[in-house]
Amino acid sequence: MTDLAPLSVAVPLLAAALLAFLHHLLPRRVFDLLAITAAAAAAALTLVLLAHVANGLSVYWFGGWHPRHGLAIGIDFAVEPIGAGLAAFVAILMVLALVYSYRVEDVQAPHYHVLMLTFMAGMVGFCLSGDLFNMFVFFELMSVSAVALVAYKVHEQAALEGGLNFAVINTIGAFLFLLGIGLIYAHTGALNLAQIGRVLANSPNDRVTVVAFTLLVAAFLVKAAVVPFHFWLDDAYAVALAPVCLLLAGAMSEMGLYGLARIWYGVFAPAFGGQEGVIRAVLVGGGLITAVWGAAMSLSEDHLKRMLAFLTISFVGIFLIGVGLLTADGLAGTAVYVLADGFAKASLFGCVGIVQHRLGQVGQRRLHGKARHLRATGALFLFGGLLAASLPPFGPFLGKSMIEDAAVKVGYGFAAPLIVLASALAGAAVLRAGARIFLGWGDVEEDRESSSSDEETESETTGSRDRTPAVMFVPTLLLVLAAAGIGVWFGFADLAGTAAHRFVDGVGYRAAVFGAPPPLATAHSSSPEWYDWLYSGGATVLALIVAAAGLWGRRIKAHAALAGAATIMRPLKALHTGRIGDYTAALALGVVVLGALFTITLR
């Protein structure tokens, strides 16, 4: 079964090449069907891989170049449950996004389909790779495809600016990644993750290792859009096509966090094992700042895609907290949360795409009460807001409660209230927008924002605007059901717990890559405690209160609170200038701060 691993990457790449070759011979709809078929085949392959590695780890060596005398002389795919699960998640999202794309008129064959398939191939390859340099190759294949997809409407200035910001910041991140790879290769003479980990486990820690670790961590934080490396993300999401946003919001940033976890447990944990406390403090601190920052910014946005972009940033912060705890329990909670929230955010972007198709706008104030007739879409959107606020007992609630419990176990109980606050603010942003647009609730604000807040005022789709196409509504519905169902079946937490315990076993991973039997540890997650229900119930109630304050602030005499919030948000909004020079300066500052913290504290 391990032989299927390279096919999960080769199938979309070969399909992309075939579509590019046949672009003069086939009509657009045939391209759609062929792309969907290729993505579905890749999804099936990744699901088979996931089932196969449920009991451990399988390694595929390209060209049959197996290790000799403890040295990895070839390139491998090291397939384990977390990586295979993330690859399957990406492939499923791609299938739904391509179905959603069926009615998007801006799509031109074969360029769009080729880019989507190479985007998926890069993400799947990154999830499965056991070689540091090939992780870089696949990540850049993914990033280049994503940049082209973001700037796909090249005739629009906003798309060019969003794509340029995305390209420049992520290129700097790639440069940091490559520098880190060069240092670690010069230091260890290896690129295979398991072999690097073995070398570092048997050699004293030094400054070269610290600098390489800092560069790699910074690169992955740029990819994940963690504060202060996040400025490119809202500009990119605001201009991307709706089906592209489904993928960006559901999986793109999460890849950076997966890479961070992979290099920690597979490579650097032996070198810094006694200094986990320092690294945990830095990562959890960055996660808390990102979670609250993103949630607060989402409340300040009128543009629906920008609002959801900041929602993505907020939840990336919560995921970073789970990964940054450096425990199996935290990683298990993050795995559950990534899947549940990824499906939920993708469904919200699906709803926004439907609104844009039917009404031709994405600004909350301009859409006030205009979508009352879109009852089904409104129900899905409002339910998505409740999921964002971690409404029990659904998927985001389960993942959030697992992360909070993991934080308490390592003495980071103070993180739980801040996670609750971030979830509540993020949920409030969605609920307020949904109530305005689909129910017509709230005060009508005469002093509306400038047209720049509603950058897209044309539908992206073909056909009549009098109805919602099934190819748009059905994927959105399926995404909502998937987000909810993950929490309803609690056995998913046990699967994630077992996968996480195997993932963090760096010794077992390194041994399995070199031919030893894979680790077979199992874990059982406890059901959410009473206080988990209380936390999530409180977050949901707080989200409703904040949303109500945003809708009827004048009536309930919340002028002072709203004015205070506006004062706090003003400097944060001022930092999002849209100028690439400012964003590059913020990235440089972040790298310097991160480097200083690690250089001073890691010995």
Side-chain angles (χ1 to χ4, degrees), residues 114-116 118-120 140-150:
V114 169
L115 289 170
M116 291 287 271
T118 56
F119 187 32
M120 180 178 69
E140 290 316 299
L141 174 62
M142 171 179 60
S143 297
V144 170
S145 301
V147 168
L149 287 168
V150 166

Side-chain angles (χ1 to χ4, degrees), residues 286-318:
L288 290 172
I289 293 171
T290 302
V292 176
W293 185 309
M297 285 297 299
S298 68
L299 268 173
S300 70
E301 285 294 336
D302 178 68
H303 190 285
L304 289 175
K305 287 186 178 180
R306 286 189 183 274
M307 179 194 74
L308 295 179
F310 283 112
L311 203 74
T312 300
I313 292 171
S314 178
F315 285 108
V316 162
I318 298 178

Side-chain angles (χ1 to χ4, degrees), residues 540-586:
T540 305
V541 172
L542 181 57
L544 292 170
I545 292 172
V546 174
L551 291 169
W552 297 293
R554 300 173 185 173
R555 302 185 195 179
I556 62 178
K557 303 185 184 303
H559 294 84
L562 294 175
T567 302
I568 294 173
M569 291 305 302
R570 196 170 294 118
L572 293 184
K573 287 180 69 68
L575 293 174
H576 296 79
T577 62
R579 293 190 290 268
I580 190 61
D582 296 340
Y583 295 173
T584 305

Side-chain angles (χ1 to χ4, degrees), residues 117-465:
L117 290 173
T118 56
F119 187 32
M120 180 178 69
M123 288 192 284
V124 171
F126 180 80
C127 293
L128 304 182
S129 182
D131 182 276
L132 188 59
F133 184 76
N134 279 276
M135 288 179 71
F136 167 78
V137 171
F138 283 121
F139 215 136
E140 290 316 299
L141 174 62
M142 171 179 60
S143 297
V144 170
S145 301
V147 168
L149 287 168
V150 166
Y152 192 79
K153 294 186 290 185
V154 69
H155 57 281
E156 297 182 5
Q157 181 179 349
L160 284 175
E161 291 176 352
L164 180 63
N165 287 343
F166 190 168
V168 171
I169 297 301
N170 279 268
T171 298
I172 296 174
F175 183 64
L176 297 174
F177 197 169
L178 202 55
L179 282 176
I181 292 173
L183 282 176
I184 207 69
Y185 179 67
H187 188 52
T188 65
L191 290 172
N192 182 275
L193 296 177
Q195 188 172 335
I196 297 171
R198 276 190 170 185
V199 173
L200 294 181
N202 297 315
S203 61
N205 185 14
D206 57 22
R207 292 300 182 191
V208 175
T209 305
V210 173
V211 173
F213 178 66
T214 300
L215 291 171
L216 291 173
V217 170
F220 286 126
L221 294 183
V222 170
K223 301 292 185 180
V226 172
V227 174
F229 308 111
H230 71 290
F231 290 100
W232 59 270
L233 190 140
D234 64 301
D235 290 334
Y237 285 27
V239 297
L241 296 171
V244 175
C245 288
L246 263 66
L247 290 167
L248 295 176
M252 178 73 177
S253 294
E254 288 75 3
M255 289 291 161
L257 298 182
Y258 171 79
L260 175 60
R262 179 76 279 170
I263 66 164
W264 168 253
Y265 292 109
V267 176
F268 290 103
F272 303 120
Q275 298 168 300
E276 289 182 350
V278 172
I279 299 170
R280 179 181 294 126
V282 172
L283 296 180
V284 172
L288 290 172
I289 293 171
T290 302
V292 176
W293 185 309
M297 285 297 299
S298 68
L299 268 173
S300 70
E301 285 294 336
D302 178 68
H303 190 285
L304 289 175
K305 287 186 178 180
R306 286 189 183 274
M307 179 194 74
L308 295 179
F310 283 112
L311 203 74
T312 300
I313 292 171
S314 178
F315 285 108
V316 162
I318 298 178
F319 302 155
L320 180 58
I321 294 169
V323 172
L325 292 171
L326 305 182
T327 65
D329 291 338
L331 186 64
T334 302
V336 174
Y337 212 165
V338 162
L339 293 186
D341 178 70
F343 284 131
K345 287 201 304 288
S347 71
L348 289 171
F349 272 108
C351 291
V352 171
I354 292 173
V355 170
Q356 190 172 359
H357 165 71
R358 296 294 298 273
L359 301 172
Q361 294 179 340
V362 289
Q364 294 182 42
R365 293 173 176 84
R366 294 184 177 186
L367 288 168
H368 194 284
K370 293 182 179 180
R372 288 188 178 95
H373 58 293
L374 302 179
R375 296 183 181 87
T377 303
L380 294 182
F381 192 85
L382 290 170
F383 185 57
L386 294 173
L387 291 177
S390 68
L391 175 70
F394 303 110
F397 156 72
L398 178 59
K400 173 176 165 293
S401 65
M402 293 172 70
I403 291 176
E404 290 169 349
D405 291 345
V408 171
K409 289 180 182 179
V410 296
Y412 278 68
F414 63 86
L418 292 175
I419 295 174
V420 168
L421 175 63
S423 300
L425 294 179
V430 178
L431 291 171
R432 183 189 63 182
R436 277 177 174 167
I437 296 167
F438 298 102
L439 301 177
W441 290 1
D443 300 324
V444 178
E445 300 183 29
E446 299 296 336
D447 185 19
R448 298 182 178 179
E449 296 184 6
S450 65
S451 59
S452 62
S453 68
D454 193 13
E455 294 163 6
E456 295 185 46
T457 56
E458 295 182 0
S459 173
E460 296 175 347
T461 51
T462 58
S464 171
R465 294 190 182 187

